[in-house]
Amino acid sequence: MNRYPIWKYLLLGVVLLVGVIYALPNLYGEDPALQISPSRGAKVDQKVEDRVKLALSQAHLPTHGVQLGANNLLVRFADPESQLKAQDIIQRQLGNDYVVALNLAPTTPMWLRAIGAKPMYLGLDLRGGVHFLMEVDMDAVMKQKAESYVEDMRTALRTAKIHYTDIARQGNGVALKFKTTQERSAARDALHKQFPELVLTDKDEGGAGLTAVLSEQQQRETRKFALEQNITTLRNRVNELGVAEPVIQQQGESRIVVELPGVQDTARAKEILGATATLEFRMVDEGHNAAEAAAPGGHVPISSRLYHTRKGEPVLLKKRIIITGDAITDAKAGFDSRDGSPNVTITLDGKGARAMFNTTRENVGKLMAVVFIENKIETHYVDGKAVRTKKRVENVINRATIREPLSKRFQITGLDSTEEARNLALLLRAGALAAPVDIIEERTVGPSLGQENIDRGFMSCVIGFVLVMVFMTARYKVFGLFASTAQLVNLVLIIAILSLLQATLTLPGIAGIVLTVGMAVDANVLIDERIREELRSGNSPFASIEAGYERALGTIADSNITTLIAGLMLFVLGSGPVKGFAVVLCIGILTSMFTALMGTRSLVYLVYGGRRRIGKLAV
């Protein structure tokens, strides 16, 4: 009885069915589309949909459908040319209160989307757009951090009544000078208590001196902090470009990758990414009604200014600024020790701490607000021509009650969630420290070149598969057909897994698929050659098949494991396209072992198994 276990056939059937289902979305393609999202408290509702339909109808631009989502509107078109024309028309119609983003909307049927089946995401080299590699100036970050300690140390020494002759930044640290070594010792003790994160070293050249530098751990945290806040700021900037699926991620310890699919205007992208942001702390004017002041014909008190929250709610704030974001040295999200509610702990420099203390001491129980200020570039249309103007946008991002006089370190409470606390901390930090960023690499990929890359990649896969199939069939006959069938299943499984993971397919990823097509038959070559040897030794056909699979297993495992290790190292140590290649390579190795060992064996038993007696194997 030469039968293959039923449970293995069932397993193969389930795997193949799941693979086909989750690979299917990639066959349906995508429609050029526009994704309309709200900005600055606006809403996307039926009225916005009607305005969009009317504008497109007047411009004689047909659509492939308009879908109103929870808080966005998706408009599909037949071709990219109509998509680009519609973007200008809709942006003019809706104004700067809405973000009109270029997008590619999958045409996957609803029943597939209901089970989470989605197509792979295409990388920039296949979709078109701009790529920036930015480097954060970490030397400037460390110098700015050292500068923030100078005023703090002056205040600490004055409070402790310790005399000094000079305090100034020196490189990435602070240099202090004293008349006597006794004063230096007293200063070292006082500074160590107040600034435990600093490493203090005596310096006797030119008198009694002392140097203060951040510890290695604090330096790493400061650099990480600067990189994180720049990524946050860049994400906010990218929203203004109208990019539906941007990629903004860290690369190494000091670099940031920004990829903007669909964007072709690099000058516009640079303007937006280079926009600046800052913060202001002001007292809330609780003596007047903000809604009345914001109403048509309303009156704003002479000592106050009218602001709005990001949801569009009016707020009256005093004109006097308590401190700006430059005074903030740190902001961390956490939890209140009293009731466990989320909060943000803010640390100020010496000058900012004094200003905050003097104001809050007189205003306990009153509301204080944080204003986030952005200087951005906006596009308006005058006589059909795009005109870009600089605009200052000011929004109230937080209001909180002052419970006690605040000084160097204080907390903002009354937040709704830990996510709100984290976002507020990031905004505060982004406004507090502008870490210089330089664009060190810039690439633009046109949409036509992206489509050409897709076509060529697809053709290379097809040609590679056909040539491998022809070779295997000519060399190993029926067993070569088994190997080719396993190869086809292998491709389906790779595409299904990449789609399930929502991985980004790039040109190196396609190269990984083509390489897998060639490498995956190695296992079948080893098995088939082993079967031939067993037949030449005089063994029976089924004994030769068993021996071929069993004895070739060790060699197949060794060769694939070493390649898998290399792929994992590429993933761990590589970045960007290299990682994409490594992911496809590792997935391809695992699926090829499954199809080569289990898949082809099931086909062999399906054809030659059962009670039939075989005189000769076609191998």
Side-chain angles (χ1 to χ4, degrees):
M1 297 290 288
N2 299 296
R3 294 184 182 276
Y4 205 50
I6 295 297
W7 70 267
K8 290 188 178 181
Y9 280 115
L10 291 174
L11 175 62
L12 284 166
V14 170
V15 170
L16 181 58
L17 179 63
V18 172
V20 169
I21 288 174
Y22 282 92
L24 266 180
N26 297 281
L27 298 178
Y28 287 95
E30 296 172 311
D31 284 335
L34 293 178
Q35 180 177 299
I36 302 167
S37 305
S39 176
R40 302 176 202 161
K43 289 183 179 181
V44 175
D45 51 20
Q46 189 62 48
K47 292 181 180 179
V48 174
E49 181 180 348
D50 293 339
R51 288 172 63 187
V52 169
K53 286 181 177 178
L54 179 62
L56 294 176
S57 175
Q58 291 174 345
H60 304 290
L61 279 175
T63 67
H64 274 192
V66 180
Q67 296 173 314
L68 181 61
N71 203 23
N72 62 61
L73 186 68
L74 191 70
V75 187
R76 298 172 182 264
F77 298 91
D79 53 72
E81 186 178 350
S82 300
Q83 177 196 34
L84 293 174
K85 287 181 181 178
Q87 185 187 32
D88 290 338
I89 293 168
I90 294 174
Q91 191 68 73
R92 290 186 212 179
Q93 176 69 25
L94 299 181
N96 291 307
D97 288 339
Y98 295 87
V99 176
V100 182
L102 296 173
N103 200 353
L104 289 174
T107 57
T108 310
M110 186 60 70
W111 70 272
L112 282 174
R113 279 183 278 174
I115 59 174
K118 300 176 182 177
M120 286 181 288
Y121 175 69
L122 298 180
L124 202 70
D125 48 3
L126 301 179
R127 196 173 186 179
V130 295
H131 164 98
F132 294 112
L133 179 60
M134 301 178 168
E135 184 160 27
V136 180
D137 187 349
M138 290 302 178
D139 288 336
V141 171
M142 298 309 299
K143 288 176 182 177
Q144 193 167 353
K145 185 69 173 177
E147 195 71 51
S148 70
Y149 277 102
V150 173
E151 185 63 30
D152 291 347
M153 289 183 175
R154 286 197 179 106
T155 302
L157 294 178
R158 286 172 190 160
T159 303
K161 298 181 180 180
I162 299 172
H163 297 286
Y164 58 88
T165 58
D166 186 42
I167 298 180
R169 182 184 64 81
Q170 187 178 72
N172 292 341
V174 180
L176 302 92
K177 293 182 180 178
F178 304 90
K179 290 183 179 179
T180 65
T181 56
Q182 288 81 5
E183 289 175 342
R184 180 177 66 184
S185 298
R188 190 193 312 109
D189 294 339
L191 293 176
H192 180 69
K193 289 180 181 178
Q194 190 158 348
F195 307 103
E197 69 275 12
L198 295 177
V199 177
L200 304 171
T201 308
D202 291 347
K203 186 177 180 182
D204 294 321
E205 296 177 10
L210 188 66
T211 59
V213 295
L214 283 171
S215 64
E216 287 295 328
Q217 181 182 352
Q218 286 296 319
Q219 288 185 38
R220 286 194 296 272
E221 289 184 4
T222 300
R223 294 189 183 99
K224 180 182 177 183
F225 162 77
L227 196 65
E228 184 183 43
Q229 70 180 41
N230 273 272
I231 290 174
T232 302
T233 304
L234 288 173
R235 284 202 178 101
N236 292 334
R237 301 283 74 74
V238 166
N239 288 338
E240 299 302 316
L241 280 168
V243 181
E245 294 170 330
V247 175
I248 304 171
Q249 60 189 15
Q250 179 179 340
Q251 185 178 97
E253 295 183 351
S254 62
R255 292 182 175 182
I256 303 170
V257 173
V258 179
E259 293 185 348
L260 309 174
V263 175
Q264 299 296 320
D265 189 348
T266 56
R268 166 72 168 154
K270 284 181 180 178
E271 283 180 348
I272 293 294
L273 295 177
T276 58
T278 188
L279 292 161
E280 291 177 353
F281 284 73
R282 296 173 183 259
M283 294 302 302
V284 177
D285 183 354
E286 300 178 66
H288 299 87
N289 190 298
E292 292 178 1
H299 175 69
V300 179
I302 193 169
S303 61
S304 302
R305 283 189 58 186
L306 180 66
Y307 291 86
H308 289 83
T309 65
R310 293 195 164 184
K311 295 181 179 179
E313 301 170 1
V315 183
L316 279 176
L317 302 182
K318 298 287 188 179
K319 284 185 176 180
R320 178 176 168 271
I321 301 172
I322 305 171
I323 60 169
T324 64
D326 295 333
I328 299 175
T329 60
D330 195 11
K332 294 180 180 178
F335 296 93
D336 195 323
S337 57
R338 291 171 294 186
D339 56 10
S341 61
N343 67 10
V344 175
T345 301
I346 296 174
T347 305
L348 304 178
D349 60 19
K351 184 178 179 181
R354 287 197 300 273
M356 180 63 72
F357 178 77
N358 292 335
T359 300
T360 56
R361 179 179 55 186
E362 301 170 358
N363 292 280
V364 174
K366 297 182 179 179
L367 287 171
M368 181 174 64
V370 183
V371 182
F372 189 65
I373 302 168
E374 299 171 281
N375 297 305
K376 55 178 70 173
I377 307 294
E378 289 195 342
T379 302
H380 300 274
Y381 293 89
V382 179
D383 297 329
K385 294 183 179 179
V387 178
R388 292 171 184 165
T389 57
K390 291 185 178 179
K391 185 174 181 180
R392 182 181 172 96
V393 179
E394 302 173 330
N395 294 118
V396 175
I397 60 174
N398 180 261
R399 286 170 290 177
T401 302
I402 302 170
R403 301 184 184 278
E404 57 188 4
L406 308 176
S407 186
K408 181 180 178 63
R409 187 185 296 267
F410 61 92
Q411 294 180 347
I412 292 179
T413 57
L415 304 173
D416 294 333
S417 64
T418 54
E419 184 67 22
E420 183 184 354
R422 181 177 177 277
N423 291 338
L424 177 58
L426 290 173
L427 286 172
L428 291 169
R429 293 200 303 241
L433 177 64
V437 177
D438 297 319
I439 297 175
I440 61 175
E441 183 184 331
E442 174 185 330
R443 294 199 308 269
T444 303
V445 181
S448 59
L449 178 59
Q451 186 59 48
E452 184 180 346
N453 288 338
I454 294 174
D455 295 339
R456 289 187 175 185
F458 178 75
M459 188 57 64
S460 64
C461 284
V462 171
I463 293 173
F465 178 78
V466 170
L467 290 177
V468 168
M469 185 176 68
V470 169
F471 170 80
M472 291 297 291
T473 305
R475 176 73 175 169
Y476 299 108
K477 302 178 180 63
V478 175
F479 279 72
L481 285 175
F482 293 158
S484 300
T485 304
Q487 274 289 80
L488 184 60
V489 174
N490 184 37
L491 279 174
V492 171
L493 292 181
I494 291 173
I495 294 170
I497 292 172
L498 290 173
S499 300
L500 270 170
L501 296 175
Q502 280 295 277
T504 300
L505 183 66
T506 60
L507 204 55
I510 293 178
I513 293 176
V514 177
L515 181 63
T516 303
V517 168
M519 291 175 55
V521 293
D522 287 353
N524 293 109
V525 170
L526 289 170
I527 292 168
D528 294 345
E529 288 295 336
R530 188 70 193 185
I531 291 173
R532 282 181 170 182
E533 289 180 9
E534 294 296 327
L535 289 172
R536 283 195 291 266
S537 298
N539 290 333
S540 66
F542 275 106
S544 298
I545 292 172
E546 286 293 327
Y549 277 96
E550 295 298 332
R551 295 179 183 178
L553 180 60
T555 306
I556 294 170
D558 290 343
S559 63
N560 281 281
I561 287 172
T562 52
T563 309
L564 186 62
I565 291 171
L568 290 173
M569 289 302 99
L570 281 175
F571 180 79
V572 173
L573 301 177
S575 61
V578 176
K579 277 195 173 184
F581 173 82
V583 168
V584 175
L585 180 64
C586 292
I587 292 173
I589 290 169
L590 297 174
T591 55
S592 66
M593 287 186 68
F594 175 78
T595 55
L597 295 172
M598 197 169 177
T600 57
R601 198 168 187 175
S602 67
L603 289 174
V604 169
Y605 278 93
L606 193 64
V607 174
Y608 294 110
R611 300 175 182 272
R612 287 168 287 183
R613 298 178 62 86
I614 308 300
K616 186 177 180 182
L617 289 177
V619 63

